Amino acid sequence: MLAHNAIIVSDAHLGQVPRPIVDAFHQFLATVPDMARHLVINGDLFDFWFEYGTVIPRSAFPTLAALDAIRRAGVRLTITGGNHDRWSRGFWQRELGASFHRDGAELELAGLRTLIAHGDRMDGTLGSRVLQAISRFPLTPALFRWIHPDVGISLVRRMSRAVVNDARRAIVMKDSSAAQEVYAVELLKRRPELNLLVFGHTHLPVLTPVGPGRWYANPGAWMDGLRYLVVTDVVPQDGRNVRFGAREKMVESPQDCPVLHLLSLVVDRLRVDVLLVGELVQRLHGHRDRHPFPEDEGRSGHSTAENRLSPAGKEQ
């Protein structure tokens, strides 16, 4: 039955996460041939990926070598583009023998007809829609290619860190997760031939039954809990042939635990913020008649998820 299993993983954001999470992902890849014969990476494998004519990001090499190893072990590899790694020029197909789908795909996973896409088009904020329009515009990667890789990649990573540290991000992702689920349930009802619809992007795990043997799922994020999704044609007693997996036990020692490491990063960040606030209060002392902060920043509206998913490519 191993030959019919499939694993779906999303949002590893390698290149922006602590080293223990990267190491755990490479350990996980080494175990994939023992668990499944099809690995689907549903976007944002890397925090940024760009294919120049003759170079690729150096930090990606260990991961690419690990993916090549599982391909040589007979694992089929399917990759969809995420909002951080949608720009591809054929590297995945030529160098790794993987199938790449920029905007999602419809394919067979463990006997289930599956529609899979990253799901970032469900973001309702104006800023997200503007960034999507820019990133999908054909001229954008052509212009970016003229920037030296050291400069371009460093610039994008700084922008990514700013987005991650945005205090509104958790609210935006929660709204996007709800929009994804509404869209997915409605689509599954309209398309009875589909058994499974999978999104990523929000980092929030979801598994919603939509009738017997039919599911909407989001595996959550590898970077947040080392999560992934397992799809099998063996139906257990509870009827869940789609289930979550997590690899917390792969971390060998407490000091390497990604959760503790991330917690320490948060504490460090809070400590810095407290120091900055204290310094700001000292600088503003004696200048109480000034108003350096706007009284009302306003709030961005959120629109519905309808018609945000582009037609997916079909894989036979």
Side-chain angles (χ1 to χ4, degrees):
M1 295 300 179
L2 177 64
H4 300 290
N5 288 357
I7 289 176
I8 304 172
V9 64
S10 180
D11 295 280
H13 289 272
L14 305 181
Q16 194 70 280
V17 295
R19 186 69 204 184
I21 295 180
V22 179
D23 293 340
F25 187 73
H26 294 163
Q27 295 173 40
F28 163 71
L29 289 180
T31 68
V32 167
D34 297 326
M35 296 189 294
R37 285 292 177 261
H38 193 171
L39 174 65
V40 181
I41 300 176
N42 192 23
D44 290 355
L45 169 62
F46 299 109
D47 198 65
F48 181 63
W49 170 263
F50 191 82
E51 296 174 25
Y52 296 87
T54 56
V55 300
I56 58 173
R58 177 180 179 179
S59 61
F61 178 78
T63 304
L64 298 175
L67 290 172
D68 182 63
I70 67 171
R71 280 287 296 127
R72 294 177 183 275
V75 176
R76 180 182 173 190
L77 183 60
T78 299
I79 297 174
T80 65
N83 52 309
H84 286 252
D85 53 9
R86 184 167 283 116
W87 292 340
S88 175
R89 301 180 68 194
F91 175 89
W92 300 108
Q93 299 92 322
R94 291 193 305 266
E95 307 301 331
L96 287 180
S99 59
F100 177 83
H101 306 272
R102 176 184 172 188
D103 292 310
E106 188 174 322
L107 63 161
E108 202 85 10
L109 294 179
L112 301 183
R113 195 62 188 172
T114 303
L115 179 62
I116 185 166
H118 189 60
D120 54 298
R121 285 194 168 187
M122 301 298 155
D123 287 354
T125 63
L126 176 61
S128 296
R129 294 198 295 270
V130 170
L131 286 176
Q132 288 175 24
I134 294 174
S135 68
R136 292 174 183 273
F137 189 60
L139 189 59
T140 303
L143 293 175
F144 189 87
R145 195 164 287 112
W146 285 94
I147 304 175
H148 189 280
D150 289 347
V151 177
I153 293 174
S154 175
L155 176 64
V156 171
R157 285 178 175 170
R158 289 188 180 187
M159 292 174 60
S160 178
R161 283 195 293 269
V163 171
V164 169
N165 292 329
D166 190 338
R168 298 169 297 177
R169 178 174 172 78
I171 298 175
V172 172
M173 289 295 97
K174 186 176 180 180
D175 289 347
S176 295
S177 179
Q180 285 181 348
E181 184 167 0
V182 170
Y183 180 93
V185 171
E186 291 178 352
L187 183 61
L188 285 168
K189 289 179 179 179
R190 293 198 308 267
R191 296 191 56 185
E193 76 279 10
L194 289 176
N195 305 107
L196 175 63
L197 195 153
V198 181
F199 285 137
H201 181 61
T202 64
H203 297 200
L204 300 175
V206 179
L207 185 57
T208 302
V210 190
R214 307 182 72 220
W215 307 89
Y216 162 63
N218 187 319
W222 178 268
M223 69 174 292
D224 297 329
L226 313 184
R227 300 178 184 276
Y228 60 94
L229 202 67
V230 179
V231 184
T232 176
D233 63 348
V234 179
V235 182
Q237 292 183 351
D238 61 5
R240 292 179 177 268
N241 54 336
V242 180
R243 57 183 174 81
F244 291 116
R247 304 293 293 200
E248 288 89 348
K249 293 182 180 179
M250 295 183 67
V251 181
E252 296 180 354
S253 59
Q255 60 266 31
D256 289 335
C257 178
V259 176
L260 295 179
H261 189 90
L262 288 174
L263 181 60
S264 69
L265 293 178
V266 172
V267 172
D268 288 343
R269 178 59 188 265
L270 289 174
R271 185 182 299 116
V272 171
D273 288 346
V274 169
L275 291 175
L276 289 176
V277 170
E279 182 181 353
L280 181 61
V281 170
Q282 290 180 355
R283 290 188 178 185
L284 292 177
H285 185 68
H287 300 273
R288 297 177 183 177
D289 56 328
R290 298 184 182 181
H291 300 278
F293 303 108
E295 295 181 359
D296 185 9
E297 296 179 352
R299 296 180 180 272
S300 299
H302 299 279
S303 59
T304 62
E306 293 183 2
N307 302 320
R308 294 236 181 90
L309 179 64
S310 63
K314 293 189 176 182
E315 181 179 306
Q316 302 297 333

